[in-house]
Amino acid sequence: MAAPSLSMLSRAFSRISPVLLQCIRQTELATQRTLVSTWFQPPCVYIHSNRLLFTTVSKYEKSADVDTEEISSRYKDRPWDYLESEEYADRYGSKPVWFNYRRNHKGGIPPQQTRKTCIRGDKICGNPCPICRDPNVIIHYQNVKLLQQFVHPHSGEVYEHTRTGVCMKQQKLLKKAIDSARDHGLLPFQVPFVDHSGEDYSNSHDAVGCTPSRPSVTADEPWYPWYLAQADESEVAKVKKIYKAYLK
């Protein structure tokens, strides 16, 4: 009677053992996930103006306990409020957004041109430009404080992208926004003074002067003497030879 009982117990244990092993593995995976979630804080995803950016949550966003959608759209309607916030002051201070930017490049000589764009589809390049790296920096013609950071204060010219490190796509948007802000009177611009008292602008030349009065001539004479000028026969023959197919 002992032999059958042992065989039955072994069969029952062989059937139960896979279930026990699966339960043990599931508990181990659950404990590992909880430990990883406590050690590692996943980045938040910002979707802003067709840009997908991965950044960490700042202390202001932690204290406010807002969702990622609210964070991404907080300055969407009023992007100029971000430049007056404490978050901007802690991150940039009184410097422009491009002041402390350094692009990663290979070798000791930096490239002569910046990237065409930092974001292609859903992929972000390493070390994006000063505008693409911060989702709260939004280019708009009413965002005057941001546009002034990319305009020379004395000459009024737009800084080159090689100086600011902005990608070519954002540089085009900056120039367009600056021109629109100047058209709306939000940004000043200088018109060069031109003195029109010189000889180049005089009215004494016949081409810009008054039309002379009709001369007193007879019916057979032309108004202007160059009407009577005779053409050179040799030149006329050359022209006829060139266009003889059309002079039939």
Side-chain angles (χ1 to χ4, degrees):
M1 295 297 290
S5 63
L6 292 174
S7 62
M8 292 174 64
L9 289 173
S10 63
R11 289 177 185 177
F13 183 75
S14 63
R15 292 177 182 176
I16 299 171
S17 60
V19 180
L20 293 174
L21 291 174
Q22 187 176 2
C23 293
I24 293 169
R25 289 176 181 174
Q26 289 179 357
T27 53
E28 289 179 354
L29 290 174
T31 53
Q32 289 178 1
R33 288 175 181 173
T34 53
L35 290 174
V36 171
S37 62
T38 54
W39 294 342
F40 175 72
Q41 181 181 0
C44 292
V45 180
Y46 293 94
I47 301 175
H48 170 65
S49 66
N50 298 328
R51 296 183 291 177
L52 183 64
L53 300 181
F54 297 88
T55 55
T56 56
V57 180
S58 62
K59 60 181 181 180
Y60 301 98
E61 295 157 2
K62 288 180 182 178
S63 60
D65 292 333
V66 292
D67 297 332
T68 55
E69 295 181 356
E70 295 178 358
I71 294 169
S72 60
S73 61
R74 182 168 50 178
Y75 300 106
K76 185 177 180 180
D77 297 332
R78 298 175 60 86
W80 46 87
D81 291 343
Y82 175 62
L83 278 77
E84 299 177 356
S85 62
E86 297 180 0
E87 183 180 358
Y88 177 85
D90 292 343
R91 185 168 185 177
Y92 301 102
S94 60
K95 302 293 184 181
V97 295
W98 53 266
F99 187 78
N100 294 323
Y101 174 77
R102 296 295 181 270
R103 179 184 173 184
N104 297 334
H105 58 85
K106 189 176 181 180
I109 301 175
Q112 298 298 321
Q113 297 292 335
T114 57
R115 303 183 187 92
K116 292 183 179 180
T117 179
C118 298
I119 304 171
R120 297 178 181 177
D122 295 339
K123 296 182 180 179
I124 307 173
C125 65
N127 191 16
C129 73
I131 296 179
C132 293
R133 68 181 177 181
D134 193 348
N136 293 326
V137 177
I138 304 173
I139 298 176
H140 195 271
Y141 77 94
Q142 293 181 354
N143 198 356
V144 180
K145 290 186 177 181
L146 177 64
L147 300 179
Q148 287 177 347
Q149 297 179 4
F150 295 89
V151 179
H152 197 280
H154 302 293
S155 62
E157 297 180 357
V158 182
Y159 287 136
E160 294 294 333
H161 55 279
T162 54
R163 179 176 181 179
T164 59
V166 177
C167 62
M168 300 295 292
K169 180 180 179 180
Q170 300 294 340
Q171 182 72 11
K172 292 180 181 178
L173 295 176
L174 274 171
K175 290 183 177 179
K176 185 177 180 180
I178 289 171
D179 293 339
S180 181
R182 287 174 175 174
D183 293 340
H184 286 79
L186 301 176
L187 283 178
F189 62 94
Q190 297 179 355
V191 178
F193 175 75
V194 179
D195 188 9
H196 297 279
S197 61
E199 296 180 356
D200 295 337
Y201 304 97
S202 63
N203 296 326
S204 60
H205 195 271
D206 295 337
V208 295
C210 299
T211 304
S213 59
R214 180 179 181 275
S216 57
V217 294
T218 60
D220 297 335
E221 295 179 357
W223 282 18
Y224 299 99
W226 51 270
Y227 281 167
L228 300 176
Q230 298 295 329
D232 190 3
E233 295 295 335
S234 60
E235 297 294 334
V236 174
K238 290 179 181 179
V239 174
K240 287 182 179 181
K241 186 178 180 179
I242 296 172
Y243 298 99
K244 65 181 180 180
Y246 304 95
L247 297 176
K248 294 180 181 180

